[in-house]
Amino acid sequence: MKITFITSNQHKVKEATGIFHKFGITVEHVDLGYPEIQGDLRDVARYGAQHAARRLETPIIVEDAGLFIKTLKWFPGSYSSYIQETLGNQGILKLMSDVNDRYAEFRSVIGFCTPKTEPKIFLGTVKGHISYEEKGEYGFAYDPLFYPEGYDKTFGELKRDEKNKFSHRRMSLEKFALWYHDWFKDNMR
Ligand code: IMP
């Protein structure tokens, strides 16, 4: 079984390859830009998936993710990419400097689409809290800021295999993989 994953993020490709391996799915990576509309993660994933599937004329997945911080009214959320490039992790830590409630979630939405069907989405979430300083050399972007619930290490301190066991992306990709098994049987054989 194979799926085409449209992304420009190599970290996501590596994570997805590790996760899909257990489900017997091979990842074919295509770095094709697609329009990211204004909206929540679901809207972005739906629109992007449909656009890419029509363009490549094959079934594909895209993924849209974000960090949601409760005390900041779930900011940066769907602005995570822009905020990572502008404020960065130090900017987030500054915004949180005298905040006690540090609850946050990572969310990931997989959008699957074929050239002829409507998009389908799969949501994954991991709960946790924001650190007081950046920690760890692994991972990418917000990983050094995020302590997953029940862990005393940030995502930035966890190797990929460890993060892949329970991350937001693990949850969304796993939901997709379980559904895709049946879909593939019915549509691609
Ligand atoms: P996007 O899904 O690529 O649009 O991600 C939005 C922003 O969140 C980007 O800055 C990503 O680098 C960041 N991001 C997405 N997933 C993760 C993750 O698993 N860890 C840390 N940062 C992430």
Side-chain angles (χ1 to χ4, degrees), residues 7 9 12 15 36 63-67 77 79-82 84-85 106 140-143 155 163 168-169:
T7 180
N9 185 329
K12 288 186 179 184
E15 288 187 9
E36 290 211 6
E63 194 249 8
D64 200 45
L67 178 65
Y79 303 103
S80 293
S81 193
Y82 178 70
Q84 177 62 218
E85 280 163 25
F106 263 122
F140 62 102
Y142 298 105
D143 279 341
F155 268 169
K163 179 184 172 190
H168 48 313
R169 198 159 291 111

Side-chain angles (χ1 to χ4, degrees), residues 69 71-72 94-103 132:
I69 302 173
T71 195
L72 302 180
K94 241 183 229 164
L95 288 176
M96 303 277 293
S97 58
D98 17 284
V99 173
N100 288 326
D101 177 3
R102 304 188 76 85
Y103 180 85
Y132 285 90

Side-chain angles (χ1 to χ4, degrees), residues 41-42 66 68 74 103-109 122-128 146 149 155 166-173 175:
L41 299 185
R42 292 181 181 87
F68 293 75
W74 306 110
Y103 180 85
E105 293 176 2
F106 263 122
R107 296 179 199 158
S108 156
V109 175
F122 303 85
L123 172 69
T125 302
V126 60
K127 298 174 176 178
F146 186 80
E149 207 170 56
F155 268 169
F166 61 94
S167 72
H168 48 313
R169 198 159 291 111
R170 165 59 185 257
M171 300 304 162
S172 60
L173 288 172
K175 277 187 195 167

Side-chain angles (χ1 to χ4, degrees), residues 1-3 19-26 61 112 120 122 172-189:
M1 252 184 306
K2 185 200 85 164
I3 186 70
I19 292 164
F20 278 154
H21 181 72
K22 297 179 183 70
F23 296 93
I25 300 173
T26 313
I61 54 169
F112 167 82
K120 202 169 160 50
F122 303 85
S172 60
L173 288 172
E174 183 172 308
K175 277 187 195 167
F176 165 76
L178 294 170
W179 173 86
Y180 189 58
H181 262 270
D182 288 343
W183 183 89
F184 196 87
K185 235 187 290 159
D186 296 342
N187 294 277
M188 300 297 275
R189 287 203 182 142

